[in-house]
Amino acid sequence: MAEMAKVAVLTEPRTFEYHEVAIPEIGPDDGILRVEAAGLCGTDWEQYLGHLDNTPWAVRPIIPGHEILGWIDKVGPEAAKRWDVKEGDRVTVEASIPCGQCFQCQVGRPVLCKNGMGYGLRMGFNNAPHLWGGYATHMYLHPGATLHKAPSDVPTDIMSLFNPMSNAVRWAVERPETGIGDTIVIEGPGQRGLLAVVAAREAGAGQIIVTGTKNDTLRLSLARELGADETIVVDDEDPVERVTEITGGKLADIVVDVSSFATKPITDAIEMVRPGGKVVVAGLKSFAPIPNFVSDKLITKEISMLGVLSSSWSSVEKSIDIIRRKGDTLKKLCTHHYPVDQADKAVRVLGREVIDGPEAVHVHIDAASTT
Ligand SMILES: [Zn+2]
Ligand SMILES: [Zn+2]
């Protein structure tokens, strides 16, 4: 009898079913991952609520989990050569499965590939061999999957930060070209905001300022521990006034919005960035329009607004390198983990709908543990 994988399947908004699925035989060009961890982010929460229903990620039933860490369980000889891996290697798997041929793949943005394949968000559970997501003990490695080697000696919870860290590298450093001495404001102290502090420090940023709400007490103290110079509680203080004060009127070179739902950080960013500065837009607003958005301000201040989705090959590699060197300092971000059959609770803890001990920062499915 075939070995079975345990999986969590999102069938409807807010509805998980737990199943066992036969692990498929592989050929020369594919493989099987033994999942170690699947990190959760705001996208998992929106997917769970059904908020992605008018987007390409509206697939159900689906095994969620797009921030995937694991070990090579089985690999065909051709795939082993191409990925340069062997059984037992620890790897991270990128969410998208790019075609390699289309315009976006050719210009180096495989994340925007039109082929509609990808783990945890795009490939539904009904597509054989079914194992297309990280909320599972095993996952199918398609010949087109993109893998990165991970160090074997970093603990699971810290290594599972590789995806938010790679986002932080791309959003706070690569895309706005953050350099030595730059003043950067990070709006929203979620896991990506906190890791953006680490990434910006690595890049040589000067002043790092993080904004949050009064519900973010733990997160803002973590921001300071990780290297933020100043934190602003936006319920108590006007963030634009504070940034003006802190920078002596120069304003910020770069503002990165990683807050979800709230739209005011976008209009605040336009006020707190200096003329000629850059605003990186990364926090999803459930497709809501931005009240009081005045595009003329972009013109008169010559502000660049940069929308960012996901990571790049290089940002994942840099992320793994930062975690290898600085992992110990990131331990406090890893607040919660749950086995596959508690996926529902994991997502609700991430969404702060369920409180389970400390304030949730980074939540992951620990696929190697069982209840
Ligand atoms: Zn994610
Ligand atoms: Zn493509």
Side-chain angles (χ1 to χ4, degrees):
M1 212 184 101
E3 202 191 335
M4 303 300 275
K6 283 188 186 173
V7 304
V9 182
L10 186 70
T11 54
E12 292 298 327
R14 293 182 168 277
T15 312
F16 272 105
E17 285 179 7
Y18 301 96
H19 292 286
E20 294 207 348
V21 177
I23 298 169
E25 294 295 320
I26 58 158
D29 207 24
D30 53 5
I32 298 293
L33 184 80
R34 186 158 56 86
V35 181
E36 180 180 355
L40 272 61
C41 73
T43 304
D44 295 76
W45 176 235
E46 298 225 2
Q47 179 182 34
Y48 177 78
L49 296 176
H51 287 180
L52 303 176
D53 278 4
N54 293 311
T55 75
W57 306 290
V59 182
R60 280 189 303 267
I62 191 166
I63 302 174
H66 59 276
E67 304 184 0
I68 304 144
L69 169 69
W71 300 276
I72 300 289
D73 193 40
K74 297 189 181 78
V75 64
E78 292 304 316
K81 255 189 257 169
R82 193 179 56 253
W83 290 324
D84 187 24
V85 297
K86 57 184 187 312
E87 284 173 16
D89 281 358
R90 197 187 203 190
V91 295
T92 72
V93 185
E94 292 200 9
S96 55
I97 305 174
C99 73
Q101 308 295 323
C102 74
F103 172 76
Q104 296 290 358
C105 283
Q106 296 290 356
V107 299
R109 283 307 287 149
V111 159
L112 302 177
C113 174
K114 289 258 185 325
N115 78 350
M117 290 183 66
Y119 293 110
L121 289 164
R122 299 295 290 268
M123 288 294 279
F125 180 60
N126 294 334
N127 295 293
H130 314 293
L131 301 172
W132 299 104
Y135 292 13
T137 55
H138 297 76
M139 201 177 78
Y140 175 64
L141 293 172
H142 182 276
T146 306
L147 274 52
H148 298 260
K149 284 199 195 173
S152 56
D153 55 350
V154 177
T156 300
D157 52 354
I158 294 169
M159 199 63 235
S160 75
L161 291 166
F162 82 92
N163 180 288
M165 177 62 92
S166 70
N167 292 158
V169 168
R170 181 153 186 273
W171 303 349
V173 179
E174 282 189 350
R175 196 77 175 89
E177 301 178 303
T178 301
I180 292 169
D182 281 344
T183 295
I184 182 166
V185 177
I186 297 155
E187 298 179 290
Q191 51 178 333
R192 282 165 177 71
L194 293 171
L195 293 169
V197 173
V198 178
R201 267 280 161 266
E202 282 276 314
Q207 265 183 321
I208 301 177
I209 304 163
V210 179
T211 71
T213 70
K214 58 181 179 345
N215 295 327
D216 295 320
T217 315
L218 170 68
R219 296 172 180 209
L220 290 174
S221 75
L222 280 174
R224 291 188 295 272
E225 266 181 58
L226 292 170
D229 300 288
E230 302 275 354
T231 54
I232 302 171
V233 177
V234 299
D235 318 71
D236 300 339
E237 301 177 290
D238 179 343
V240 177
E241 269 174 33
R242 277 293 289 142
V243 168
T244 309
E245 234 171 69
I246 293 164
T247 59
K250 274 184 69 185
L251 303 177
D253 298 294
I254 295 149
V255 182
V256 182
D257 174 37
V258 278
S259 69
S260 48
F261 301 112
T263 55
K264 191 163 176 290
I266 299 286
T267 44
D268 283 350
I270 292 167
E271 301 300 327
M272 61 175 70
V273 75
R274 69 166 167 80
K278 295 168 192 164
V279 175
V280 178
V281 182
L284 282 169
K285 314 299 183 193
S286 295
F287 290 84
I290 308 293
N292 306 317
F293 175 76
V294 180
S295 61
D296 286 355
K297 292 187 179 179
L298 305 185
I299 299 170
T300 54
K301 285 179 75 176
E302 246 195 28
I303 296 166
S304 305
M305 272 190 115
L306 309 166
V308 290
L309 171 75
S310 188
S311 309
S312 57
W313 168 268
S314 57
S315 67
V316 176
E317 292 289 313
K318 284 174 200 157
S319 156
I320 292 171
D321 176 60
I322 294 172
I323 288 172
R324 188 197 327 263
R325 290 183 289 107
K326 297 246 168 111
D328 296 350
T329 62
L330 306 176
K331 178 85 184 159
K332 283 188 183 167
L333 271 66
C334 306
T335 53
H336 296 77
H337 59 85
Y338 299 94
V340 171
D341 58 7
Q342 289 183 34
D344 189 80
K345 186 173 182 186
V347 181
R348 293 171 70 203
V349 165
L350 177 90
R352 302 210 243 185
E353 189 175 75
V354 169
I355 306 298
D356 185 15
E359 191 178 314
V361 182
H362 180 69
V363 180
H364 71 269
I365 300 289
D366 187 346
S369 73
T370 47
T371 43

